[in-house]
């Protein structure tokens, strides 16, 4: 009866689907899961690597899906569509990847890239904080707010990869001492 009032919907397109599924068959075809050998810096499969082995301030990056097609739709519906229930699906996928790729690392904590105050007001929630909290429940790594924006950034969604990188450079500062801590950083 409840499924008639609140039907299960595809995380990507919103179509009504069978209980137990997360995405419809059509959108499932558009999810490009990164299962192959990946670049440890940009998290993309080697064929789509864009980092060219740049020097990074982190030791590893992984992504569940390539950010296009259905995966892009899911994130946009979560963030801009304010469909907070999608945090459950996204965090399940991210948690499984964390368990697989980082099982041999004993993280001290996890943190998240903080959203702008304007974005939080507009959406009504901090999407990366919400994901970190959901992932923490699944993988047992405590969440700590360790980053603070130093000043406002241009919105990332309209920028290319190189512009995004330049836009965030020196824009965040650590809260407290994180020296010698192994921190898992969550971002969408």
């Amino acid at each position: 009866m409840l499924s008639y009032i609140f039907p299960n919907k595809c995380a990507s397109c919103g179509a009504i689907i069978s209980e137990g599924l997360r995405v419809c068959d059509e959108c499932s075809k558009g999810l490009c899961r990164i299962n192959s050998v990946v670049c440890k810096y940009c998290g993309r499969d080697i064929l789509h690597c864009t980092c060219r082995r740049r020097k990074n301030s982190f030791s590893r990056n992984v992504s569940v899906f390539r950010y296009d097609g259905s995966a892009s739709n899911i994130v946009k519906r979560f963030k801009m569509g304010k469909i907070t229930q999608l945090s459950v699906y996204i965090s399940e996928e991210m948690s499984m990847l964390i368990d697989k790729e980082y099982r041999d690392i004993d993280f001290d904590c996890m943190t998240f890239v903080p959203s702008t105050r304007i974005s939080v007001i507009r959406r009504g929630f901090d999407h990366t904080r919400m994901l970190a909290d959901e992932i923490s429940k699944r993988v047992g790594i405590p969440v700590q707010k360790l980053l603070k924006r130093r000043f406002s950034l241009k919105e990332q969604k309209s920028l290319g990869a190189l512009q995004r990188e330049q836009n965030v450079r020196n824009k965040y500062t650590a809260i407290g001492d994180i020296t010698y801590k192994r921190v898992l950083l969550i971002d969408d």
Side-chain angles (χ1 to χ4, degrees):
M1 176 69 169
L2 200 56
S3 63
Y4 288 109
I5 300 168
F6 301 108
N8 189 36
K9 294 183 178 182
C10 172
S12 179
C13 72
I16 296 174
I17 55 176
S18 301
E19 288 299 316
L21 296 178
R22 296 296 193 180
V23 293
C24 68
D25 290 341
E26 191 63 31
C27 291
S28 181
K29 294 173 192 169
L31 283 174
C32 185
R33 189 175 294 274
I34 301 174
N35 288 324
S36 58
V37 177
V38 297
C39 172
K40 73 178 198 168
Y41 299 107
C42 68
R44 292 174 173 248
D45 60 79
I46 295 300
L47 294 174
H48 297 93
C49 173
T50 58
C51 73
R52 307 287 185 260
R53 306 277 185 243
R54 288 188 293 266
K55 184 178 178 188
N56 292 298
S57 58
F58 54 88
S59 59
R60 185 127 192 263
N61 174 33
V62 296
S63 300
V64 179
F65 302 108
R66 268 201 10 231
Y67 186 72
D68 58 14
S70 297
S72 172
N73 291 342
I74 292 167
V75 173
K76 287 174 185 170
R77 290 184 77 228
F78 170 49
K79 289 168 62 171
M80 278 61 105
K82 303 177 186 177
I83 305 174
T84 57
Q85 309 89 291
L86 291 176
S87 68
V88 174
Y89 171 65
I90 296 168
S91 65
E92 283 174 356
E93 291 287 348
M94 292 175 80
S95 296
M96 288 187 290
L97 186 66
I98 290 165
D99 284 341
K100 176 183 167 197
E101 296 294 330
Y102 296 125
R103 67 179 156 265
D104 56 340
I105 299 174
D106 186 22
F107 288 103
D108 296 303
C109 63
M110 89 171 61
T111 195
F112 52 94
V113 176
S115 297
T116 64
R117 190 168 55 219
I118 292 169
S119 293
V120 172
I121 291 168
R122 197 179 304 143
R123 288 187 196 117
F125 62 99
D126 184 335
H127 70 289
T128 51
R129 174 67 194 242
M130 185 178 282
L131 289 174
D133 288 340
E134 287 288 332
I135 292 166
S136 177
K137 292 175 197 174
R138 289 171 167 64
V139 300
I141 302 170
V143 177
Q144 292 180 15
K145 184 175 181 178
L146 297 176
L147 293 175
K148 179 176 131 184
R149 286 180 181 270
R150 295 174 74 189
F151 44 88
S152 188
L153 309 170
K154 294 178 191 171
E155 285 205 356
Q156 293 281 86
K157 65 183 176 183
S158 62
L159 304 176
L162 184 58
Q163 293 168 312
R164 285 173 176 256
E165 184 179 323
Q166 292 168 344
N167 190 42
V168 298
R169 185 166 286 142
N170 300 318
K171 303 290 195 299
Y172 298 95
T173 186
I175 298 171
D177 184 15
I178 60 169
T179 308
Y180 304 115
K181 283 194 175 182
R182 284 177 300 237
V183 179
L184 177 63
L185 177 65
I186 302 296
D187 195 12
D188 64 343

